[in-house]
């Protein structure tokens, strides 16, 4: 194991809930409709535009390209507003220690988030210098569940996919890591059964446990 590729929302910080809250607000304001809880998983790890498609499909609505762009922009504004007070205290349990243990062991760290807000969030969390590479989701051909963002992060670290482990909280993200030919660590419930190894929460993660998962599944 030479590199660890982190997802951001739901792995490093608990921002996943803010994303869905912003979608819910948008749908209430524009369409006077409520999104069911089940839709949250379907938008996790999925790009802003793909998430909006999932939501419009659910509502059985079609909108013009202009309205689509305006809705995506409005959701992002609402989401970014909720990030205003984000600080290091919002790093999920165990993640700060995990990052420092990996760094001490000389592993390379990459960010493989679908979020275009990734760099701002890392900055607010005080983690901007912790990562050796941040893959740009705007520059990959296909979002999660395609492997592109994880392959881009490994390439930016000059590592082979087989030498990397990916950490994810979403169904689409675990599928992306597996498709990239990496060992996948799922953080969450039974919906992540396709991960090489699954942990219930970030506080269950440790460097030895992840190294062991890589050895067992490489
Ligand atoms: P943005 P991750 C993903 O981040 C979120 O899980 C997903 O809900 C969101 O739609 C996507 O980022 C795009 O985010 O609108 O900020 O560009 O989990 O891949 O770190
Ligand atoms: Mg995530």
């Amino acid at each position: 194991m030479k590199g660890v590729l982190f997802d951001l929302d739901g792995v490093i910080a608990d921002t996943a809930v803010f994303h869905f809250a912003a979608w819910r607000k948008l749908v209430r304001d524009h369409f006077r409709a409520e999104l069911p809880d089940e839709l949250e998983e379907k938008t996790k790890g999925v790009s802003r535009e793909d998430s909006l498609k999932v939501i419009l499909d659910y509502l059985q609505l079609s909108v013009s390209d202009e309205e689509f762009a305006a809705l995506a922009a409005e959701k992002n504004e609402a989401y970014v507003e909720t990030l205003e007070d984000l600080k290091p205290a919002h790093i999920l349990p165990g993640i700060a220690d995990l990052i420092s243990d990996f760094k001490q062991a000389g592993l390379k760290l990459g960010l493989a988030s679908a979020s275009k807000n990734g760099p701002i969030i890392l900055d607010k969390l005080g983690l901007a210098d912790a990562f050796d590479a941040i893959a740009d989701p705007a520059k990959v051909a296909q979002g999660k569940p395609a492997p592109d963002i994880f392959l881009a992060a490994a390439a930016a670290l000059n590592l082979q996919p087989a030498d990397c482990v990916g950490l994810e909280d979403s169904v689409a993200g675990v599928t992306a890591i597996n498709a990239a030919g990496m060992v996948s660590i799922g953080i969450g419930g039974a919906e992540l059964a396709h991960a090489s190894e699954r942990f219930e929460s970030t506080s269950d993660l440790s460097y030895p446990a992840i190294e062991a998962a890589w050895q067992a599944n490489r």
Side-chain angles (χ1 to χ4, degrees):
M1 183 169 89
K2 294 181 182 163
V4 184
L5 309 181
F6 283 77
D7 173 50
L8 175 59
D9 297 314
V11 170
I12 295 178
D14 202 6
T15 39
V17 287
F18 297 154
H19 275 292
F20 199 58
W23 284 124
R24 276 197 155 136
K25 181 179 184 312
L26 184 86
V27 165
R28 263 182 223 130
D29 291 353
H30 283 262
F31 308 116
R32 294 174 188 278
E34 277 303 319
L35 295 177
D37 293 347
E38 307 87 80
L39 229 62
E40 182 167 4
E41 184 55 58
K42 295 195 174 134
T43 58
K44 263 192 201 167
V46 176
S47 75
R48 196 179 309 163
E49 289 72 22
D50 288 346
S51 297
L52 182 52
K53 280 183 202 153
V54 166
I55 289 165
L56 292 174
D57 271 359
Y58 166 78
L59 296 170
Q60 298 186 304
L61 287 172
S62 69
V63 298
S64 68
D65 289 354
E66 291 72 26
E67 198 182 344
F68 187 94
L71 287 168
E74 189 177 324
K75 180 268 172 177
N76 190 53
E77 268 170 43
Y79 173 65
V80 169
E81 243 171 62
T82 61
L83 296 179
E84 211 159 280
D85 299 328
L86 203 68
K87 43 182 167 303
H90 292 114
I91 299 173
L92 281 165
I95 293 293
D97 286 344
L98 192 65
I99 288 175
S100 78
D101 290 351
F102 283 144
K103 289 188 83 69
Q104 239 165 38
L107 292 167
K108 289 188 181 171
L109 302 186
L111 191 78
S113 169
S115 177
K116 293 178 182 134
N117 294 300
I120 311 172
I121 295 175
L122 284 187
D123 201 41
K124 283 180 173 279
L125 296 175
L127 291 174
D129 297 332
F131 288 86
D132 302 293
I134 296 177
D136 184 350
K139 290 200 178 127
V140 298
Q142 284 185 281
K144 301 169 188 179
D148 306 26
I149 192 87
F150 284 96
L151 292 173
L157 295 174
N158 271 315
L159 295 178
Q160 295 301 317
D163 295 332
C164 296
V165 167
L167 307 185
E168 261 290 349
D169 70 315
S170 72
V171 171
V174 167
T175 304
I177 299 170
N178 292 344
M182 300 171 183
V183 170
S184 58
I185 304 291
I187 304 147
E191 72 281 2
L192 305 181
H194 55 318
S196 314
E197 297 277 341
R198 186 174 69 81
F199 296 82
E200 280 292 325
S201 106
T202 55
S203 48
D204 300 326
L205 299 170
S206 69
Y207 175 30
I210 290 171
E211 169 87 43
W214 181 76
Q215 289 290 353
N217 293 282
R218 52 190 283 207

